[in-house]
Each structure stands twice: as C-alpha cells, then as structure tokens.
Amino acid sequence: QGEAIARLPNVAALVLIGLCIGSIDRQRLAVSIPLLIALTTALGGGLYLWLPRELFGGFGNENFITEFMVATLPFSFAALATGASGKVTWRRAIPSGLLGAAGLAAGVGYLGFASNSHGRYMAAVLFFAVVAGACLYFRRWFWAAVLGLAGANAALYSGWDNGREFTRAILERAELVVNTSFLWLERPFFGWGLGSFNHQYPRLQEAHLAFLNTDSALLHPETVFAGATHNEYAQALAELGIVGFAFLAAIGVCVVASLVLRSRWQTASGVKRGRRVAPEKRQADMLDYAAAASLLGLMLFALVSFPWQNPHTALLTALCCGLIAQGGPRFVFRVPRFARALGAVA
C-alpha cells in the first residue's frame, strides 16, 4: 500500500505534464523541446566522462543511461535539423544546431564506444527497422530489402549473442516473466493493485521450478530482490489486470491513431459539429516523428526492462504522448457545477 501511495503522485504528475503540453504553442515547442532534450543528452554524456564510471553519468545503471541515450537521439536529430532548416532565426538556429550535434555525438559516442549494455544492440535493431519501414512506406522496395538484410547480417556477425552474461540476462528475464504470469493468473481481471509487485512476487519467485526441468533458480538464493519484472507489459497485467492493461493499451492506440491520422490531414479551419469540435488540423511534423521514434524505442526496451518506472524515461514518455496528441480532436461536454465540485473533491 505504501508503494502504491508513493506512486500515485508520480503518475498524476506525468499525466498532468502530458496534458499541459497541449496548451503550449506548437512553434515554440518545435524549437525548445528538441533543444532542451539534446542539451540533457549532451550533459548525460559529459557527466559519464566526469563522474566515476560506476555511477554511469548519475543514472546509476548502465541500462538506464543506455535507454535514455537511445530515446533522446531522435530529438537531438530534430534539433540539428531545425538549426539547419533555415526556417528559424539565427539566434535559434545556432543553439539548436550546436546542441543537436552535441547530443548526437554524446549519444552515438556512448552507445558505440562506452556502453556495455546489450540495449545498444536493440538501438541498432530499432534504427534499421525504422529506416527500412520508411523505405517500405515510400515504396522503395530495393532499399528496404538492402537495409533489412544489412541489419540482419550486422546482428549475426556482431557477436551480441555470445557469452554467458547475455544468456544469463535473457534467462533471468524469462524467469521473471513466467513467475509474474502466475501472479497475474491469481487475479486476472483487476490485478493485485498498483505497486503490489514487490510485495506479492516473493511468494512465486520459484514457481517456475514446478514445471521446468532445472536444478537451480537463476535468482537464487531466495533472498534476492527482483525489484521489477523487467517486462512492463507483464508487470502491468499482474498489477492492474486485464481491465487496467486494456486502459493503458487504449491510450497507446489513441496516440498511434493520432499520429497516423495527422499524417493524412490537410490544414483546415476548425468546424464545430454538434458536441464534437474539430480544431485546426495540422500535418505531422518533425516533432511528431521524433516523439514516435522515441516512444518506439521505449516500447522495445519495455520488453526487457522497466523504462516507465524510471523518472527520466517516464517523463520522456509523457512528453512524447503529449506532443503527438497535441491538436487532436476534442470532445466538449456540458458538466453541471455540482459534478465539477464532486470531481474536485474526489
């Protein structure tokens, strides 16, 4: 209960940030957000070089800083593109270009030469997948095939699957997901509640041994503290059940639908249609695509880690959702005053 209560203000703050993004002018966001995120990426790389290596730039874990670097790279590229586009004044173009280049250098430099996390291979997979997908979208079949084969060959010859450390990491995460699935099956519809994983998981920490032919637990001894499932989707099912997971999935579907529809919209003035208000439609811009690429990376990391439980990547997720949803269709309803008061009290 204490962990759940502690998480509620964090969740409320992230939701509020995502909603407040919609009230800020888009042109200001298009310049300021990539610039600020590129600045944090460059600072993260600088802190990694300055602080002791075991602190990992202040992130505390090699996977945490790797996830952050991967998720912020699209915004560093957007900042560099904004500075070189010629569509902004030189006072904005110079800082955007310099910080974008610094952010790209810090991110690519860390992932390519300093990181020992296997997450950097996921970043490479994400890059080839996004570029190949763009080629497919624009019907460049040859380049899509070339990039797909190049990515597959790079993965096969990189040696990413060699070594006991990689095998141990995969098996440990598989164990966590299997045991968390048993936890979910105990309360499949509504789950055990927000923040309940660390309290409930020790009961089933070795449940997998009942049907797997193995003589030892990967997370042995029994006192080892898992901390998280290292799979956000499995943990969401265990804590929130099918109902809560469906609600979160609906938010994700709305974000994806907003981006897809916006890519097809033509600029038009808002027209009021009964209770549905269609505001001024805007086409998808570079900020939308940077946010989508960042979200795609975080969704990929969520399969083997817990980026939405760490403040830096959780905040980035809220920002990306707010940026993509900004300017979407709104529904206006007349709410009586007493209902507003009840909502405020609740």
Side-chain angles (χ1 to χ4, degrees):
Q1 293 177 348
E3 187 170 354
I5 294 173
R7 286 192 181 186
L8 286 177
N10 300 337
V11 174
L14 293 174
V15 172
L16 184 62
I17 290 172
L19 293 175
C20 289
I21 288 293
S23 63
I24 303 176
D25 180 68
R26 186 71 181 187
Q27 297 300 323
R28 298 180 64 181
L29 288 176
V31 177
S32 59
I33 291 296
L35 187 146
L36 292 175
I37 294 179
L39 175 61
T40 60
T41 308
L43 287 176
L47 288 174
Y48 176 80
L49 297 175
W50 182 55
L51 295 175
R53 291 294 184 268
E54 59 270 16
L55 296 180
F56 297 100
F59 290 86
N61 184 286
E62 60 182 356
N63 293 323
F64 298 167
I65 185 174
T66 299
E67 293 165 6
F68 179 76
M69 289 294 185
V70 172
T72 55
L73 277 178
F75 288 99
S76 296
F77 177 80
L80 179 61
T82 300
S85 64
K87 297 181 180 180
V88 294
T89 63
W90 65 270
R91 293 183 179 181
R92 295 182 177 181
I94 293 178
S96 294
L98 291 178
L99 287 175
L104 283 174
V108 174
Y110 174 79
L111 294 173
F113 303 101
S115 176
N116 291 322
S117 171
H118 289 98
R120 58 179 179 169
Y121 299 117
M122 298 181 69
V125 170
L126 177 65
F127 172 78
F128 281 105
V130 169
V131 177
C135 291
L136 287 175
Y137 180 79
F138 292 107
R139 298 185 179 183
R140 299 293 189 266
W141 315 116
F142 173 77
W143 288 109
V146 168
L147 288 170
L149 293 174
N153 280 278
L156 290 173
Y157 287 99
S158 64
W160 59 274
D161 60 340
N162 293 332
R164 297 177 57 185
E165 182 66 21
F166 176 80
T167 303
R168 181 192 63 81
I170 294 297
L171 291 178
E172 281 185 354
R173 283 161 172 77
E175 174 191 321
L176 287 165
V177 171
V178 169
N179 293 336
T180 302
S181 300
F182 288 120
L183 191 63
W184 166 63
L185 289 174
E186 292 183 349
R187 291 187 178 182
F189 294 105
F190 297 100
W192 287 92
L194 182 66
S196 61
F197 174 81
N198 288 324
H199 179 69
Q200 297 293 337
Y201 183 78
R203 296 188 297 106
L204 301 174
Q205 183 163 322
E206 296 185 343
H208 63 286
L209 298 178
F211 67 95
L212 291 181
N213 185 19
T214 179
D215 297 328
S216 63
L218 288 171
L219 290 177
H220 70 284
E222 296 179 356
T223 54
V224 171
F225 183 68
T229 306
H230 289 68
N231 184 303
E232 294 281 30
Y233 310 106
Q235 186 165 340
L237 272 173
E239 291 189 351
L240 306 177
I242 296 176
V243 175
F245 186 85
F247 176 75
L248 296 177
I251 296 177
V253 170
C254 289
V255 171
V256 173
S258 178
L259 181 63
V260 172
L261 291 175
R262 183 164 291 117
S263 65
R264 301 176 180 177
W265 277 355
Q266 300 295 327
T267 302
S269 58
V271 178
K272 187 174 182 180
R273 301 172 182 173
R275 291 186 175 182
R276 183 177 183 274
V277 178
E280 182 177 352
K281 296 179 179 180
R282 62 173 181 83
Q283 292 179 309
D285 54 16
M286 185 172 295
L287 200 56
D288 287 316
Y289 293 123
S294 181
L295 279 178
L296 186 60
L298 292 173
M299 291 174 64
L300 187 62
F301 280 118
L303 291 170
V304 294
S305 185
F306 42 97
W308 297 323
Q309 300 180 51
N310 292 323
H312 51 285
T313 40
L315 174 60
L316 189 60
T317 301
L319 286 174
C320 291
C321 291
L323 290 172
I324 294 176
Q326 186 187 36
R330 300 177 182 177
F331 295 84
V332 180
F333 298 94
R334 296 183 181 276
V335 180
R337 290 187 177 181
F338 74 90
R340 301 178 192 176
L342 289 176
V345 172

